[in-house]
Protein backbone atom coordinates (compact mmCIF):
# COMPACT_ATOMS: atom_id res chain seq x y z
CA UNK A 1 0.00 0.00 0.00
CA UNK A 2 1.15 3.51 -0.78
CA UNK A 3 0.94 5.66 2.38
CA UNK A 4 -2.03 8.03 2.27
CA UNK A 5 0.19 11.04 2.89
CA UNK A 6 2.74 10.22 0.17
CA UNK A 7 2.07 13.45 -1.70
CA UNK A 8 3.23 15.45 1.32
CA UNK A 9 6.75 14.18 0.57
CA UNK A 10 6.78 16.02 -2.78
CA UNK A 11 6.91 19.82 -2.27
CA UNK A 12 6.35 20.57 -5.97
CA UNK A 13 2.90 18.96 -5.87
CA UNK A 14 1.69 21.66 -3.46
CA UNK A 15 2.08 24.30 -6.17
CA UNK A 16 -0.70 25.95 -8.09
CA UNK A 17 -0.63 26.30 -11.88
CA UNK A 18 -2.85 28.98 -13.38
CA UNK A 19 -4.53 29.17 -9.98
CA UNK A 20 -5.28 25.44 -10.07
CA UNK A 21 -3.52 22.61 -8.26
CA UNK A 22 -0.67 21.11 -10.28
CA UNK A 23 -1.74 17.74 -11.67
CA UNK A 24 1.52 16.12 -12.74
CA UNK A 25 0.96 13.35 -15.26
CA UNK A 26 4.37 13.26 -16.93
CA UNK A 27 6.39 10.95 -14.69
CA UNK A 28 7.58 8.87 -17.65
CA UNK A 29 9.52 11.97 -18.76
CA UNK A 30 10.89 12.60 -15.30
CA UNK A 31 9.64 11.87 -11.80
CA UNK A 32 9.13 14.43 -9.08
CA UNK A 33 11.56 14.47 -6.17
CA UNK A 34 10.78 13.82 -2.52
CA UNK A 35 11.95 16.37 0.02
CA UNK A 36 14.62 14.07 1.42
CA UNK A 37 16.27 13.82 -2.01
CA UNK A 38 16.26 17.59 -2.45
CA UNK A 39 17.69 18.02 1.06
CA UNK A 40 20.37 15.38 0.45
CA UNK A 41 21.57 17.34 -2.58
CA UNK A 42 21.88 20.51 -0.53
CA UNK A 43 23.65 18.56 2.23
CA UNK A 44 26.29 17.32 -0.20
CA UNK A 45 27.11 20.80 -1.45
CA UNK A 46 26.98 22.37 2.00
CA UNK A 47 28.77 19.70 4.02
CA UNK A 48 31.11 17.43 2.02
CA UNK A 49 31.52 18.71 -1.53
CA UNK A 50 34.84 17.29 -2.74
CA UNK A 51 36.13 15.29 -5.67
CA UNK A 52 36.04 11.49 -5.32
CA UNK A 53 38.80 8.86 -5.45
CA UNK A 54 41.64 11.33 -4.99
CA UNK A 55 41.58 13.48 -1.84
CA UNK A 56 42.92 12.07 1.42
CA UNK A 57 41.23 14.66 3.58
CA UNK A 58 38.02 14.08 5.53
CA UNK A 59 35.34 15.48 3.23
CA UNK A 60 36.93 13.87 0.15
CA UNK A 61 36.85 10.55 1.95
CA UNK A 62 33.23 11.09 2.89
CA UNK A 63 32.28 11.97 -0.70
CA UNK A 64 34.13 8.88 -1.99
CA UNK A 65 32.60 6.60 0.60
CA UNK A 66 29.08 7.83 -0.15
CA UNK A 67 29.64 7.65 -3.92
CA UNK A 68 30.68 4.01 -3.60
CA UNK A 69 27.88 3.30 -1.13
CA UNK A 70 25.43 4.60 -3.71
CA UNK A 71 26.90 2.29 -6.33
CA UNK A 72 26.35 -0.62 -3.92
CA UNK A 73 22.79 0.58 -3.31
CA UNK A 74 22.01 0.69 -7.05
CA UNK A 75 23.58 -2.77 -7.42
CA UNK A 76 21.42 -4.19 -4.62
CA UNK A 77 18.31 -2.45 -5.99
CA UNK A 78 18.57 -4.44 -9.24
CA UNK A 79 20.16 -7.47 -7.51
CA UNK A 80 23.52 -7.30 -9.25
CA UNK A 81 26.06 -9.84 -8.04
CA UNK A 82 28.49 -7.12 -7.01
CA UNK A 83 28.76 -3.32 -6.96
CA UNK A 84 31.59 -3.41 -9.53
CA UNK A 85 29.01 -4.48 -12.10
CA UNK A 86 27.40 -1.03 -11.91
CA UNK A 87 28.97 1.74 -13.99
CA UNK A 88 27.67 5.23 -13.30
CA UNK A 89 26.68 7.21 -16.37
CA UNK A 90 24.74 10.42 -16.92
CA UNK A 91 21.57 8.59 -17.97
CA UNK A 92 20.03 5.60 -19.72
CA UNK A 93 20.96 7.27 -22.99
CA UNK A 94 24.62 7.44 -22.05
CA UNK A 95 24.48 3.89 -20.66
CA UNK A 96 23.27 2.48 -23.98
CA UNK A 97 25.78 4.57 -25.93
CA UNK A 98 28.53 3.19 -23.69
CA UNK A 99 27.59 -0.36 -24.67
CA UNK A 100 27.15 0.50 -28.36
CA UNK A 101 30.56 2.16 -28.43
CA UNK A 102 32.73 0.10 -26.09
CA UNK A 103 31.18 -3.37 -26.51
CA UNK A 104 29.76 -2.83 -29.98
CA UNK A 105 32.92 -1.61 -31.66
CA UNK A 106 34.84 -4.78 -30.83
CA UNK A 107 32.04 -7.31 -31.01
CA UNK A 108 30.01 -6.25 -34.04
CA UNK A 109 31.41 -6.96 -37.47
CA UNK A 110 30.24 -6.62 -41.05
CA UNK A 111 27.17 -8.75 -41.71
CA UNK A 112 26.31 -9.17 -38.01
CA UNK A 113 22.76 -8.51 -36.92
CA UNK A 114 21.29 -6.60 -33.99
CA UNK A 115 17.66 -7.27 -33.18
CA UNK A 116 15.63 -4.36 -31.75
CA UNK A 117 11.90 -3.74 -31.55
CA UNK A 118 9.59 -1.26 -33.24
CA UNK A 119 8.66 0.20 -29.84
CA UNK A 120 12.07 1.56 -28.83
CA UNK A 121 12.77 4.99 -27.43
CA UNK A 122 15.26 6.71 -29.76
CA UNK A 123 17.99 6.19 -27.18
CA UNK A 124 17.79 2.43 -27.78
CA UNK A 125 17.70 2.87 -31.54
CA UNK A 126 19.99 5.66 -32.71
CA UNK A 127 23.16 4.33 -30.97
CA UNK A 128 22.65 1.02 -32.80
CA UNK A 129 22.08 2.81 -36.10
CA UNK A 130 25.40 4.62 -35.62
CA UNK A 131 27.17 1.36 -34.82
CA UNK A 132 25.53 -0.53 -37.70
CA UNK A 133 26.49 2.18 -40.18
CA UNK A 134 30.11 2.12 -39.01
CA UNK A 135 30.38 -1.68 -39.01
CA UNK A 136 28.07 -2.47 -41.94
CA UNK A 137 25.93 -4.49 -39.59
CA UNK A 138 22.20 -4.98 -39.99
CA UNK A 139 19.36 -3.93 -37.68
CA UNK A 140 16.21 -6.02 -37.54
CA UNK A 141 13.01 -5.12 -35.75
CA UNK A 142 10.47 -7.17 -33.83
CA UNK A 143 7.03 -5.79 -34.73
CA UNK A 144 4.20 -5.28 -32.25
CA UNK A 145 0.55 -6.16 -32.80
CA UNK A 146 -2.58 -4.01 -32.58
CA UNK A 147 -2.53 -4.41 -28.78
CA UNK A 148 1.03 -3.07 -28.59
CA UNK A 149 2.41 -6.52 -27.75
CA UNK A 150 5.62 -7.79 -29.35
CA UNK A 151 5.09 -10.57 -31.88
CA UNK A 152 7.32 -13.27 -30.48
CA UNK A 153 6.82 -15.63 -33.40
CA UNK A 154 8.32 -12.92 -35.62
CA UNK A 155 11.12 -12.50 -33.09
CA UNK A 156 12.05 -16.17 -33.40
CA UNK A 157 12.17 -15.84 -37.17
CA UNK A 158 14.54 -12.85 -36.89
CA UNK A 159 17.08 -14.71 -34.76
CA UNK A 160 19.97 -16.46 -36.50
CA UNK A 161 23.62 -17.29 -35.99
CA UNK A 162 24.32 -13.77 -37.29
CA UNK A 163 22.45 -12.20 -34.34
CA UNK A 164 24.99 -10.74 -31.88
CA UNK A 165 22.72 -8.63 -29.70
CA UNK A 166 19.05 -8.31 -28.87
CA UNK A 167 18.23 -4.92 -27.32
CA UNK A 168 14.75 -3.92 -26.19
CA UNK A 169 12.84 -1.90 -23.68
CA UNK A 170 11.52 -3.55 -20.53
CA UNK A 171 8.49 -1.23 -20.49
CA UNK A 172 7.42 0.96 -23.40
CA UNK A 173 7.29 4.68 -22.62
CA UNK A 174 4.33 5.11 -24.99
CA UNK A 175 2.30 1.91 -24.95
CA UNK A 176 3.12 0.90 -21.38
CA UNK A 177 3.74 -2.65 -22.61
CA UNK A 178 5.88 -4.71 -20.23
CA UNK A 179 7.87 -7.08 -22.40
CA UNK A 180 8.55 -10.73 -21.45
CA UNK A 181 12.24 -10.25 -20.75
CA UNK A 182 13.01 -13.76 -19.46
CA UNK A 183 11.54 -15.50 -22.44
CA UNK A 184 13.12 -13.09 -24.92
CA UNK A 185 16.52 -13.38 -23.23
CA UNK A 186 16.37 -17.19 -23.29
CA UNK A 187 15.70 -17.18 -27.01
CA UNK A 188 18.48 -14.67 -27.68
CA UNK A 189 20.98 -16.69 -25.68
CA UNK A 190 19.97 -19.88 -27.46
CA UNK A 191 20.91 -18.10 -30.70
CA UNK A 192 24.25 -17.06 -29.20
CA UNK A 193 23.39 -13.37 -28.79
CA UNK A 194 23.74 -11.09 -25.78
CA UNK A 195 20.78 -9.16 -24.39
CA UNK A 196 20.52 -5.50 -23.45
CA UNK A 197 17.43 -4.27 -21.65
CA UNK A 198 16.48 -0.60 -21.52
CA UNK A 199 15.16 -0.32 -17.97
CA UNK A 200 14.45 3.43 -17.98
CA UNK A 201 10.72 2.80 -17.53
CA UNK A 202 10.82 -0.42 -15.53
CA UNK A 203 13.36 0.12 -12.74
CA UNK A 204 11.36 3.06 -11.31
CA UNK A 205 8.05 1.20 -11.32
CA UNK A 206 8.48 -2.48 -10.45
CA UNK A 207 10.86 -4.85 -8.68
CA UNK A 208 13.81 -5.61 -10.96
CA UNK A 209 16.24 -8.50 -10.53
CA UNK A 210 18.83 -8.56 -13.31
CA UNK A 211 19.97 -12.07 -12.41
CA UNK A 212 16.44 -13.39 -12.51
CA UNK A 213 15.74 -11.58 -15.79
CA UNK A 214 18.71 -13.42 -17.27
CA UNK A 215 20.04 -10.47 -19.28
CA UNK A 216 23.56 -9.20 -19.96
CA UNK A 217 23.14 -5.41 -19.87
CA UNK A 218 20.55 -3.29 -18.06
CA UNK A 219 20.35 0.51 -18.38
CA UNK A 220 18.55 2.90 -16.02
CA UNK A 221 18.22 6.59 -15.06
CA UNK A 222 17.99 8.05 -11.55
CA UNK A 223 15.76 10.95 -12.53
CA UNK A 224 12.84 8.71 -13.44
CA UNK A 225 12.93 7.09 -9.99
CA UNK A 226 12.73 10.06 -7.62
CA UNK A 227 16.45 10.78 -7.99
CA UNK A 228 18.32 13.70 -9.54
CA UNK A 229 18.93 14.26 -13.24
CA UNK A 230 22.42 13.57 -14.54
CA UNK A 231 22.83 10.16 -12.90
CA UNK A 232 22.25 6.79 -14.52
CA UNK A 233 23.93 3.43 -14.82
CA UNK A 234 24.73 0.52 -17.00
CA UNK A 235 24.77 -2.83 -15.27
CA UNK A 236 26.54 -5.71 -17.00
CA UNK A 237 27.91 -9.05 -15.93
CA UNK A 238 31.43 -8.46 -14.63
CA UNK A 239 33.14 -10.70 -17.19
CA UNK A 240 31.55 -8.70 -19.98
CA UNK A 241 32.65 -5.36 -18.52
CA UNK A 242 36.11 -6.76 -17.89
CA UNK A 243 36.51 -7.78 -21.53
CA UNK A 244 35.27 -4.43 -22.87
CA UNK A 245 37.65 -1.62 -23.84
CA UNK A 246 37.03 1.80 -22.22
CA UNK A 247 34.39 4.27 -23.39
CA UNK A 248 35.84 7.70 -22.59
CA UNK A 249 39.53 8.27 -21.93
CA UNK A 250 40.88 10.64 -19.29
CA UNK A 251 41.64 10.95 -15.62
CA UNK A 252 40.64 8.36 -13.03
CA UNK A 253 40.16 5.44 -15.42
CA UNK A 254 43.89 4.69 -15.68
CA UNK A 255 46.46 2.55 -13.90
CA UNK A 256 49.63 3.76 -15.60
CA UNK A 257 49.97 6.37 -18.30
CA UNK A 258 53.01 6.71 -20.52
CA UNK A 259 53.32 9.03 -23.46
CA UNK A 260 52.61 6.25 -25.92
CA UNK A 261 50.33 3.90 -24.00
CA UNK A 262 48.09 3.50 -21.00
CA UNK A 263 46.82 0.67 -18.85
CA UNK A 264 43.36 0.89 -17.39
CA UNK A 265 41.71 0.25 -14.06
CA UNK A 266 39.34 -2.63 -13.56
CA UNK A 267 35.59 -2.14 -14.00
CA UNK A 268 33.69 -0.06 -13.13
CA UNK A 269 36.40 2.64 -12.97
CA UNK A 270 37.67 1.85 -16.46
CA UNK A 271 34.38 3.34 -17.70
CA UNK A 272 34.22 6.41 -15.45
CA UNK A 273 36.70 8.89 -16.90
CA UNK A 274 36.99 12.34 -15.37
CA UNK A 275 35.11 13.87 -12.47
CA UNK A 276 31.81 12.03 -12.27
CA UNK A 277 28.46 13.53 -11.42
CA UNK A 278 29.22 13.16 -7.73
CA UNK A 279 26.27 14.81 -6.03
CA UNK A 280 23.61 13.24 -8.22
CA UNK A 281 25.11 9.76 -8.05
CA UNK A 282 25.35 9.97 -4.25
CA UNK A 283 21.81 11.24 -3.84
CA UNK A 284 20.44 8.48 -6.08
CA UNK A 285 20.91 6.29 -2.98
CA UNK A 286 18.49 8.51 -1.03
CA UNK A 287 15.92 8.08 -3.79
CA UNK A 288 16.34 4.30 -3.62
CA UNK A 289 15.99 4.34 0.17
CA UNK A 290 12.81 6.33 -0.25
CA UNK A 291 11.35 3.96 -2.88
CA UNK A 292 12.32 0.87 -0.90
CA UNK A 293 10.71 2.36 2.20
CA UNK A 294 7.45 2.25 0.26
CA UNK A 295 8.19 -0.96 -1.60
CA UNK A 296 8.55 -1.56 -5.33
CA UNK A 297 5.81 -4.18 -5.34
CA UNK A 298 3.44 -1.67 -3.72
CA UNK A 299 4.35 0.93 -6.33
CA UNK A 300 3.70 -1.52 -9.17
CA UNK A 301 0.34 -2.50 -7.65
CA UNK A 302 -0.68 1.14 -7.17
CA UNK A 303 0.10 1.97 -10.78
CA UNK A 304 -1.69 -1.12 -12.01
CA UNK A 305 -4.87 -0.08 -10.21
CA UNK A 306 -4.56 3.50 -11.36
CA UNK A 307 -4.04 2.39 -14.96
CA UNK A 308 -7.16 0.19 -14.75
CA UNK A 309 -9.10 3.19 -13.42
CA UNK A 310 -7.72 5.45 -16.16
CA UNK A 311 -8.55 3.03 -18.97
CA UNK A 312 -12.12 2.74 -17.73
CA UNK A 313 -12.60 6.51 -17.17
CA UNK A 314 -10.99 7.56 -20.44
CA UNK A 315 -12.94 5.12 -22.56
CA UNK A 316 -16.04 7.29 -22.00
CA UNK A 317 -14.40 10.34 -23.58
CA UNK A 318 -15.95 10.82 -27.05
CA UNK A 319 -13.60 10.33 -30.02
CA UNK A 320 -10.73 8.89 -27.99
CA UNK A 321 -8.39 6.14 -29.18
CA UNK A 322 -6.30 4.65 -26.40
CA UNK A 323 -3.12 2.87 -27.48
CA UNK A 324 -1.72 -0.30 -25.95
CA UNK A 325 -2.94 -3.42 -24.25
CA UNK A 326 -5.85 -3.78 -21.81
CA UNK A 327 -4.04 -6.60 -20.07
CA UNK A 328 -2.78 -4.95 -16.90
CA UNK A 329 -0.43 -7.83 -16.08
CA UNK A 330 1.69 -6.70 -19.02
CA UNK A 331 1.11 -2.97 -18.87
CA UNK A 332 2.63 -0.25 -16.73
CA UNK A 333 1.35 3.18 -15.72
CA UNK A 334 1.48 4.92 -19.07
CA UNK A 335 -1.62 5.79 -21.08
CA UNK A 336 -1.19 7.37 -24.51
CA UNK A 337 -4.17 8.36 -26.59
CA UNK A 338 -5.45 10.34 -29.54
CA UNK A 339 -8.49 12.58 -29.62
CA UNK A 340 -10.15 12.43 -32.98
CA UNK A 341 -9.36 15.56 -35.03
CA UNK A 342 -7.48 17.43 -32.27
CA UNK A 343 -3.73 17.74 -32.38
CA UNK A 344 -1.98 16.42 -29.23
CA UNK A 345 -0.21 19.76 -28.80
CA UNK A 346 -3.60 21.50 -28.67
CA UNK A 347 -4.80 18.92 -26.15
CA UNK A 348 -1.74 19.49 -23.96
CA UNK A 349 -2.02 23.26 -24.19
CA UNK A 350 -5.63 23.31 -23.02
CA UNK A 351 -4.79 20.82 -20.26
CA UNK A 352 -1.95 23.09 -19.16
CA UNK A 353 -4.48 25.90 -18.72
CA UNK A 354 -6.24 23.54 -16.32
CA UNK A 355 -3.01 22.93 -14.39
CA UNK A 356 -2.55 19.46 -15.90
CA UNK A 357 0.91 18.45 -17.14
CA UNK A 358 0.93 15.73 -19.81
CA UNK A 359 3.34 15.09 -22.65
CA UNK A 360 2.30 15.58 -26.26
CA UNK A 361 4.31 14.59 -29.30
CA UNK A 362 6.20 11.50 -30.39
CA UNK A 363 7.79 10.90 -26.95
CA UNK A 364 11.15 10.13 -28.63
CA UNK A 365 9.55 7.16 -30.36
CA UNK A 366 8.84 8.23 -33.94
CA UNK A 367 8.93 4.75 -35.53
CA UNK A 368 6.48 3.51 -32.89
CA UNK A 369 4.02 6.30 -33.74
CA UNK A 370 4.46 5.66 -37.46
CA UNK A 371 3.51 2.06 -36.80
CA UNK A 372 0.41 3.23 -34.89
CA UNK A 373 -0.47 5.35 -37.92
CA UNK A 374 -0.29 8.69 -36.06
CA UNK A 375 2.33 11.44 -35.97
CA UNK A 376 1.92 12.07 -32.27
CA UNK A 377 -0.10 11.24 -29.18
CA UNK A 378 -0.97 12.67 -25.80
CA UNK A 379 0.41 10.74 -22.83
CA UNK A 380 -0.52 10.57 -19.17
CA UNK A 381 2.00 8.71 -17.04
CA UNK A 382 1.92 7.87 -13.37
CA UNK A 383 4.03 7.29 -10.32
CA UNK A 384 3.54 6.48 -6.67
CA UNK A 385 2.17 9.97 -5.95
CA UNK A 386 -0.44 9.86 -8.75
CA UNK A 387 -4.06 9.49 -7.66
CA UNK A 388 -7.54 8.79 -8.98
CA UNK A 389 -8.23 12.50 -8.39
CA UNK A 390 -5.47 13.27 -10.92
CA UNK A 391 -7.19 11.00 -13.42
CA UNK A 392 -10.58 12.61 -12.72
CA UNK A 393 -9.00 16.02 -13.35
CA UNK A 394 -7.61 14.69 -16.65
CA UNK A 395 -11.05 13.48 -17.72
CA UNK A 396 -12.58 16.87 -16.83
CA UNK A 397 -9.71 18.57 -18.68
CA UNK A 398 -10.43 16.53 -21.79
CA UNK A 399 -14.04 17.66 -21.65
CA UNK A 400 -12.76 21.26 -21.74
CA UNK A 401 -10.53 20.31 -24.71
CA UNK A 402 -13.60 18.93 -26.50
CA UNK A 403 -15.57 22.12 -25.84
CA UNK A 404 -12.74 24.38 -27.04
CA UNK A 405 -12.20 22.40 -30.23
CA UNK A 406 -15.74 21.25 -31.01
CA UNK A 407 -16.72 22.23 -34.54
CA UNK A 408 -18.59 25.57 -34.50
CA UNK A 409 -22.11 25.36 -35.87
CA UNK A 410 -22.17 26.58 -39.49
CA UNK A 411 -23.52 30.14 -39.85
CA UNK A 412 -27.13 30.22 -40.98
CA UNK A 413 -27.09 31.34 -44.59
CA UNK A 414 -29.78 32.92 -46.74
CA UNK A 415 -31.58 34.51 -43.82
N1 LIG B 1 14.43 4.58 -22.69
C1 LIG B 1 13.13 4.75 -22.40
C2 LIG B 1 12.19 3.60 -22.51
C3 LIG B 1 12.70 6.01 -21.99
O1 LIG B 1 11.41 6.18 -21.71
C4 LIG B 1 13.62 7.07 -21.89
C5 LIG B 1 13.20 8.45 -21.52
C6 LIG B 1 14.95 6.81 -22.19
C7 LIG B 1 15.32 5.56 -22.58
C8 LIG B 1 16.00 7.86 -22.06
O2 LIG B 1 16.21 8.18 -20.74
P1 LIG B 1 17.20 9.37 -20.36
O3 LIG B 1 17.14 9.42 -18.89
O4 LIG B 1 18.52 9.03 -20.92
O5 LIG B 1 16.62 10.59 -21.03
N2 LIG B 1 11.87 8.74 -21.80
C9 LIG B 1 11.29 9.95 -21.86
C10 LIG B 1 9.96 10.10 -22.14
O6 LIG B 1 9.18 9.20 -22.35
N3 LIG B 1 9.66 11.41 -22.13
O7 LIG B 1 10.78 12.09 -21.84
C11 LIG B 1 11.81 11.19 -21.67
Amino acid sequence: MIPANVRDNFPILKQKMNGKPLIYLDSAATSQKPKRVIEALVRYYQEYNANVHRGIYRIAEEATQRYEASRAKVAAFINARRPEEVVFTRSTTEAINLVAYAWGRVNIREGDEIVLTEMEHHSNLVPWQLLAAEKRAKLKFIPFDSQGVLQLDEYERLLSERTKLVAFTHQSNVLGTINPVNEMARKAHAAGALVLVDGAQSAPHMPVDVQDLGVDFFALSAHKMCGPTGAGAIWARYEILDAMPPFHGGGEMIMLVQLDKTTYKDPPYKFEAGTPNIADCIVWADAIDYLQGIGMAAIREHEKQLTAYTLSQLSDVPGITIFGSRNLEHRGGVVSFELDGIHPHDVAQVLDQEGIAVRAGHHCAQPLHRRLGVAASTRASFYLYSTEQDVDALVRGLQVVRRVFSPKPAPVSGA
Side-chain angles (χ1 to χ4, degrees):
M1 277 283 282
I2 302 288
N5 64 346
V6 73
R7 290 170 71 87
D8 295 343
N9 298 326
F10 293 84
I12 203 168
L13 297 177
K14 299 195 174 75
Q15 278 187 79
K16 294 251 181 322
M17 289 289 132
N18 304 316
K20 300 181 176 139
L22 169 63
I23 308 287
Y24 186 74
L25 292 173
D26 198 18
S27 290
T30 197
S31 68
Q32 294 305 344
K33 319 302 172 201
K35 197 155 182 257
R36 65 178 283 180
V37 164
I38 300 166
E39 287 172 352
L41 272 173
V42 173
R43 205 159 47 243
Y44 166 78
Y45 285 113
Q46 282 188 349
E47 295 176 15
Y48 60 99
N49 171 46
N51 214 327
V52 289
H53 301 136
R54 48 200 101 186
I56 46 166
Y57 47 89
R58 256 256 315 275
I59 57 171
E61 279 168 2
E62 178 169 3
T64 303
Q65 182 269 320
R66 286 181 189 260
Y67 182 80
E68 291 306 324
S70 181
R71 187 193 307 281
K73 179 104 25 182
V74 174
F77 183 71
I78 56 172
N79 197 30
R81 280 177 204 87
R82 47 198 278 207
E84 294 79 10
E85 293 185 333
V86 170
V87 176
F88 280 129
T89 62
R90 262 189 313 129
S91 59
T92 299
T93 302
E94 193 178 63
I96 296 172
N97 276 275
L98 186 157
V99 178
Y101 188 93
W103 180 86
R105 282 174 127 210
V106 288
N107 287 288
I108 299 295
R109 299 194 181 84
E110 183 167 352
D112 285 347
E113 294 179 358
I114 297 171
V115 172
L116 309 172
T117 82
E118 288 187 343
M119 63 168 73
E120 297 312 308
H121 185 283
H122 297 162
S123 67
N124 195 31
L125 170 58
V126 182
W128 307 117
Q129 290 175 342
L130 291 167
L131 177 67
E134 184 183 321
K135 297 291 178 181
R136 296 170 189 268
K138 196 163 176 194
L139 303 183
K140 295 195 155 181
F141 297 92
I142 311 168
F144 59 85
D145 66 16
S146 59
Q147 288 285 297
V149 174
L150 289 178
Q151 292 176 273
L152 294 186
D153 48 343
E154 288 294 325
Y155 170 45
E156 280 189 52
R157 275 196 278 279
L158 294 178
L159 289 169
S160 77
E161 74 282 355
R162 287 187 300 276
T163 315
K164 293 292 177 302
L165 180 75
V166 179
F168 56 95
T169 190
H170 196 167
Q171 179 179 310
S172 162
N173 68 320
V174 179
L175 303 162
T177 313
I178 299 169
N179 290 317
V181 176
N182 292 83
E183 186 184 347
M184 291 175 71
R186 253 194 325 275
K187 291 191 166 122
H189 287 152
L194 293 189
V195 177
L196 178 141
V197 165
D198 171 351
Q201 297 292 349
S202 62
H205 301 284
M206 64 182 81
V208 165
D209 178 332
V210 288
Q211 295 188 57
D212 183 56
L213 289 173
V215 299
D216 303 293
F217 300 100
F218 188 91
L220 66 165
S221 292
H223 73 95
K224 293 187 197 289
M225 46 188 284
C226 290
T229 51
I234 186 75
W235 166 84
R237 287 192 288 112
Y238 189 83
E239 318 80 80
I240 297 176
L241 287 177
D242 200 32
M244 276 162 57
F247 179 33
H248 295 150
E252 283 305 304
M253 44 82 77
I254 55 90
M255 288 286 277
L256 181 70
V257 180
Q258 291 165 291
L259 285 178
D260 56 347
K261 61 175 189 291
T262 293
T263 52
Y264 309 115
K265 282 188 180 151
D266 289 335
Y269 308 107
K270 178 162 73 173
F271 302 102
E272 294 181 7
T275 300
N277 194 346
I278 303 167
D280 300 308
C281 290
I282 287 176
V283 172
W284 192 358
D286 294 88
I288 291 175
D289 282 341
Y290 176 76
L291 291 175
Q292 287 182 326
I294 287 164
M296 295 311 295
I299 292 171
R300 165 76 184 122
E301 191 52 39
H302 172 73
E303 292 181 17
K304 208 186 215 177
Q305 285 174 20
L306 199 54
T307 305
Y309 183 73
T310 309
L311 294 176
S312 86
Q313 297 304 103
L314 281 188
S315 42
D316 295 336
V317 174
I320 198 166
T321 304
I322 301 172
F323 301 114
S325 170
R326 300 296 161 120
N327 181 346
L328 295 162
E329 293 310 313
H330 306 294
R331 179 180 186 139
V334 175
V335 180
S336 299
F337 57 89
E338 194 202 14
L339 273 190
D340 200 17
I342 310 178
H343 195 282
H345 284 161
D346 291 333
V347 175
Q349 203 162 2
V350 174
L351 290 177
D352 177 50
Q353 296 297 312
E354 302 298 310
I356 304 168
V358 293
R359 186 163 173 196
H362 53 65
H363 319 307
C364 304
Q366 285 182 350
L368 182 156
H369 279 85
R370 219 162 279 132
R371 168 111 187 148
L372 292 174
V374 294
S377 62
T378 308
R379 180 185 71 184
S381 55
F382 309 126
Y383 210 3
L384 69 163
Y385 42 71
S386 307
T387 62
E388 290 191 356
Q389 288 74 36
D390 292 346
V391 176
D392 294 341
L394 174 67
V395 172
R396 283 196 304 277
L398 291 177
Q399 285 157 0
V400 178
V401 174
R402 272 263 160 245
R403 276 203 299 281
V404 172
F405 288 98
S406 64
K408 303 273 181 298
V412 182
S413 58

